Amino acid sequence: RTRLSATMMMPTLPLMGLLACILALSLCEPARALAPVSLKPLPKNPLLFQLNTRVLIDELSKTAGKQCTLDDFPDAELAHIAAKGYDYAYFLGVWQTGEYGIKKSVKLLDLEPCMKGLPREAACSSPFAVTDYSTHKDFGGDEALQRLKLRCHSHGLRLMVDFVPNHLAVDHPWTKDNPDLLIQGSEQSQKEQPQNFFKVGDKVFAHGKDMYYDGWEDTVQINYGHPKARGEMCKVLCKMATLSDGVRCDMAMLICEDILEKTWGGRLNPQSDERAYGQFWPHAIQSAKKENAGFVFVAECYWDREHELHTFGFDFAYDKTLYDRLKELDVGKVKGHLMADIGYQSKLVRFLENHDEERAADCWKDTRQNMAAAVISFTIPGMHFVHDGQQEGRVRRISMHVNCRSKLEHDVKDKAIAGKYDALIEALGHEAIRNGEWRGCKTTASMDGNPSHERLVAHINFKDEEIALTVVNFAGEGSNGHVILPAHHCGFLRGKKVKVIDMLSDTVIEKDGGVLLGDNNGLWLSLEPWKAHIFKITW
């Protein structure tokens, strides 16, 4: 049985510091029996909160002194997530994994930097080496996941889970029961590339991989050239559509037809059937949405495949390009990226960290940079993705091969981040940011003609007569200049006395509405290095 919550040397940890006491009291309460409820329509720019299921279940189990399941995840915690304004609770890693995965994780304990110093009991199989797309036995099975979905709904939240389309665990039953549904090799393949092939009985299989790197040794590659393999994976997605409200598809671009061909070539030809051609995703997405019309598909995506995946039916795709440009602290590239078609941008996932990336507070060690990047990411169109711990300023990344994390007080270098994130998340609840349109704002030089205004990232979100104005100095030196709102969308401000109120601080500016539209050169602002404002405009 996969070990997910053994007794460890680490002390019990809270899920979120604000609710530690409520969590402890909730552990003894059984999950409530709930009837289905109708959810409000999803906002145009939804807010997602990712939780590490293995870590949370382990923490709950230690507190309770017993094996806990998804039924034990406190309603108070779901209520807290919903009250913050999140639309999705994304529970990472709920599916069944196997024994081989644990062995792989144990090997990594002294090799992977973020795992060093952890006890053997901390090792658990990677959630991306799935042996069965049923909810893990330790988590209560599919029935517990279904109840979690209903509990999320009772708080106005939607539930998201994972799908790993490219591969399965090396100890998946198909290696014995349905070997033709997997990419196979030969004795010679294994001899020449032992890092990419392995043997089960008399069959040689390929490890899951992408075009550029060796295989993941705890995985086996699915053969999408076999029509039955496609059908089985489509069934998995249809099942997920009944158990949850959305799915994040791991490395979704690996299943694009040309990438499969480049990676596997003739190995895609099945031995017992005619080869399947064409794209997998369009039919699979349509099939899942027939089960649940509101089921949302999110693609983890690289190699500039975002638009292609949008055309296949994905609702959102990762915006890794913006992440990289923010990480480079290159304001010119950031502003250039935001000039892309708005329809395309509205289907991107904006993030500063997730389970694969380093912690934002560690990446942007200067909190001012961290918050400036966050304000830019979360006020532009698309899905806004927050990873549990990001909002607290945690700095140590959690490996996917362990079920624990450091105590909060040992994992945060700047305690002020939590308050800053609280203010940011509250500001994102502004109706214009959640459901409005988005446009960039023009910036011009101050009276002295200095070019520092070019370092200002400025844009508006607007809906009806509600306006939010974001201005960020994404630079390590002071910048100033005039900001001009687009008159086509904000012309009704002319003739009004307006207040420009920063939702992140106590800054209030009073101006004639015409100034915001360019009268007297526009709204003049002088910002310190990395300073960020989200103004609401009232009159």
Side-chain angles (χ1 to χ4, degrees):
R1 142 176 166 134
T2 304
R3 187 195 311 104
L4 288 175
S5 70
T7 300
M8 294 172 50
M9 293 187 288
M10 292 185 118
T12 300
L13 307 175
L15 295 182
M16 296 178 188
L18 292 174
L19 288 176
C21 295
I22 298 175
L23 183 156
L25 291 172
S26 301
L27 289 172
C28 298
E29 297 179 2
R32 294 179 290 132
L34 296 171
V37 299
S38 296
L39 291 167
K40 294 180 180 179
L42 197 65
K44 184 175 290 188
N45 301 308
L47 187 59
L48 177 148
F49 189 66
Q50 182 188 35
L51 304 107
N52 187 319
T53 308
R54 289 149 182 261
V55 168
L56 298 182
I57 294 296
D58 187 69
E59 292 176 356
L60 286 166
S61 298
K62 289 184 175 63
T63 300
K66 65 171 185 176
Q67 174 64 52
C68 288
T69 70
L70 294 172
D71 285 328
D72 297 297
F73 189 81
D75 267 335
E77 197 71 21
L78 294 174
H80 177 66
I81 294 169
K84 285 289 185 181
Y86 291 97
D87 302 291
Y88 280 98
Y90 164 26
F91 279 75
L92 166 72
V94 300
W95 308 119
Q96 187 69 45
T97 52
E99 285 295 331
Y100 185 90
I102 289 182
K103 297 176 183 177
K104 164 73 180 293
S105 299
V106 169
K107 285 197 303 182
L108 291 174
L109 280 176
D110 293 323
L111 298 176
E112 198 169 308
C114 63
M115 295 173 67
K116 286 188 176 181
L118 295 177
R120 188 181 187 280
E121 291 79 11
C124 66
S125 174
S126 163
F128 302 112
V130 176
T131 57
D132 181 20
Y133 275 105
S134 296
T135 307
H136 203 289
K137 295 175 184 177
D138 285 356
F139 300 161
D142 286 345
E143 295 80 8
L145 185 64
Q146 181 70 41
R147 289 189 291 270
L148 177 63
K149 182 181 81 167
L150 292 176
R151 290 197 292 137
C152 284
H153 288 186
S154 73
H155 296 289
L157 287 169
R158 288 167 167 83
L159 175 65
M160 185 170 287
V161 294
D162 300 296
F163 176 56
V164 188
N166 187 64
H167 50 260
L168 300 162
V170 292
D171 43 356
H172 190 277
W174 282 4
T175 58
K176 297 177 181 178
D177 301 339
N178 282 295
D180 289 352
L181 307 192
L182 305 169
I183 293 288
Q184 297 187 34
S186 62
E187 299 276 358
Q188 189 66 21
S189 304
Q190 187 183 19
K191 182 178 179 179
E192 293 176 355
Q193 301 180 57
Q195 76 280 18
N196 289 326
F197 292 89
F198 67 102
K199 195 170 186 179
V200 177
D202 62 349
K203 299 284 187 180
V204 175
F205 298 100
H207 287 302
K209 68 185 298 292
D210 67 25
M211 292 188 296
Y212 302 110
Y213 297 98
D214 287 334
W216 298 287
E217 68 170 276
D218 53 349
T219 71
V220 60
Q221 178 70 40
I222 299 169
N223 183 4
Y224 279 87
H226 199 301
K228 187 178 177 183
R230 292 186 178 216
E232 290 299 315
M233 299 313 287
C234 188
K235 288 179 186 177
V236 168
L237 285 168
C238 290
K239 175 185 175 180
M240 289 184 186
T242 68
L243 291 172
S244 63
D245 305 293
V247 61
R248 175 245 183 215
C249 298
D250 186 75
M251 301 284 280
M253 73 288 178
L254 294 183
I255 313 305
C256 292
E257 183 78 355
D258 63 311
I259 292 178
L260 285 170
E261 185 64 42
K262 290 175 183 176
T263 308
W264 300 110
R267 297 189 192 278
L268 291 166
N269 297 319
Q271 299 177 11
S272 59
D273 209 326
E274 291 188 10
R275 177 172 166 178
Y277 288 94
Q279 299 293 350
F280 166 76
W281 286 119
H283 172 70
I285 291 172
Q286 291 168 17
S287 298
K289 285 182 180 280
K290 286 180 181 178
E291 296 289 336
N292 180 353
F295 194 62
V296 167
F297 278 80
V298 173
E300 180 194 18
C301 175
Y302 307 104
W303 309 338
D304 297 323
R305 295 278 178 155
E306 298 88 351
H307 176 68
E308 181 180 12
L309 291 173
H310 289 161
T311 66
F312 293 163
F314 275 91
D315 299 283
F316 299 97
Y318 274 32
D319 187 3
K320 180 66 159 54
T321 302
L322 177 64
Y323 170 82
D324 289 337
R325 290 174 177 176
L326 290 168
K327 193 173 178 179
E328 294 168 7
L329 303 178
D330 190 322
V331 66
K333 289 183 179 179
V334 169
K335 293 175 75 170
H337 187 67
L338 298 183
M339 294 178 68
D341 175 75
I342 293 175
Y344 165 74
Q345 291 203 57
S346 67
K347 300 181 73 173
L348 296 175
V349 179
R350 319 295 190 160
F351 62 91
L352 294 190
E353 69 170 72
N354 55 54
H355 61 271
D356 287 320
E357 308 293 349
E358 58 191 305
R359 289 288 198 180
D362 189 41
C363 176
W364 292 273
K365 291 181 171 59
D366 184 331
T367 297
R368 299 174 303 168
Q369 296 174 355
N370 184 357
M371 297 311 302
V375 169
I376 292 172
S377 292
F378 297 153
T379 55
I380 56 180
M383 175 178 279
H384 304 141
F385 184 124
V386 178
H387 181 215
D388 188 14
Q390 176 181 345
Q391 81 287 2
E392 298 166 314
R394 286 182 177 269
V395 296
R396 184 172 184 177
R397 189 178 74 83
I398 303 171
S399 168
M400 290 295 95
H401 292 273
V402 299
N403 60 4
C404 64
R405 58 182 173 181
S406 302
K407 291 185 69 173
L408 184 63
E409 58 266 32
H410 299 154
D411 201 17
V412 174
K413 293 182 178 178
D414 185 353
K415 295 180 180 179
I417 288 179
K420 294 178 184 297
Y421 255 92
D422 281 344
L424 171 58
I425 299 301
E426 183 177 353
L428 298 184
H430 191 286
E431 182 63 13
I433 297 176
R434 280 178 66 77
N435 277 308
E437 302 295 326
W438 178 92
R439 296 292 185 276
C441 293
K442 181 180 180 180
T443 64
T444 60
S446 296
M447 296 298 290
D448 62 4
N450 80 79
S452 65
H453 71 94
E454 296 174 0
R455 301 193 290 258
L456 299 179
V457 179
H459 49 255
I460 58 165
N461 303 83
F462 59 96
K463 183 183 179 188
D464 301 325
E465 292 191 352
E466 293 197 60
I467 302 174
L469 166 65
T470 298
V471 184
V472 180
N473 177 20
F474 201 64
E477 52 191 307
S479 301
N480 57 64
H482 296 96
V483 176
I484 303 173
L485 279 60
H488 179 71
H489 304 290
C490 305
F492 61 86
L493 293 176
R494 190 174 299 280
K496 292 181 170 67
K497 296 295 182 182
V498 303
K499 285 187 176 181
V500 183
I501 304 170
D502 186 16
M503 293 186 280
L504 304 181
S505 71
D506 56 1
T507 300
V508 178
I509 303 170
E510 296 187 10
K511 291 287 182 183
D512 182 87
V515 171
L516 276 63
L517 302 175
D519 294 356
N520 299 324
N521 298 316
L523 176 65
W524 186 82
L525 295 170
S526 180
L527 277 68
E528 297 174 353
W530 311 111
K531 185 65 176 178
H533 297 285
I534 305 177
F535 297 109
K536 61 180 178 180
I537 298 174
T538 64
W539 57 91

